[in-house]
Amino acid sequence: GVDAVDLIQQLERQAERFGADRKECGVRDVDLTCRPFKVYCEDGEVITSSAVVIATGASPRWIGAEGEQELISKGVHTCATCDGYFYRGKHAVVIGGGDTAMEQALFLARLASR
């Protein structure tokens, strides 16, 4: 078996090789009312993206952003491996934590431009 910490470090290195930018921040707010979508971090940084994957666990936990439910499968997804190909060459953001978010981010790193 592989130690969990070692696995996460291997996954991070792989994502970096595919050109993924990694930013850890608490998400203060998300604006899904217009494109590009905006993710507001607690540290004041604003991340813009044409796609947002909400990776909050095995059963999606919605974040409550305005327009979130209306944009399901129209730029807001909960499964990068299911819908990631829609974002080939586009900017994508993954919101979530833990193993699920890391898996989603690694998958998108091979497809998205950023």
Side-chain angles (χ1 to χ4, degrees):
V2 177
D3 179 86
V5 173
D6 291 337
L7 178 61
I8 294 298
Q9 290 172 343
Q10 290 175 25
L11 295 172
E12 288 173 340
R13 285 192 299 272
Q14 181 179 1
E16 288 171 3
R17 282 196 310 270
F18 283 104
D21 292 326
R22 183 172 176 266
K23 164 75 177 174
E24 286 187 38
C25 73
V27 176
R28 180 176 48 84
D29 197 8
V30 178
D31 182 358
L32 304 173
T33 60
C34 63
R35 291 178 193 264
F37 300 134
K38 295 178 183 70
V39 176
Y40 296 90
C41 297
E42 289 176 344
D43 66 5
E45 183 174 356
V46 179
I47 302 168
T48 59
S49 179
S50 57
V52 173
V53 176
I54 300 169
T56 54
S59 297
R61 291 189 309 252
W62 299 103
I63 57 175
E66 184 180 340
E68 180 179 65
Q69 296 300 310
E70 294 80 12
L71 290 167
I72 294 172
S73 297
K74 297 174 186 160
V76 174
H77 297 269
T78 60
C79 179
T81 55
C82 305
D83 302 316
Y85 289 100
F86 292 116
Y87 302 102
R88 183 178 296 278
K90 297 182 180 180
H91 294 182
V93 172
V94 175
I95 298 173
D99 297 345
T100 301
M102 181 58 91
E103 290 170 12
Q104 304 289 310
L106 286 172
F107 182 81
L108 283 175
R110 296 183 303 201
L111 300 171
S113 64
R114 188 176 121 202

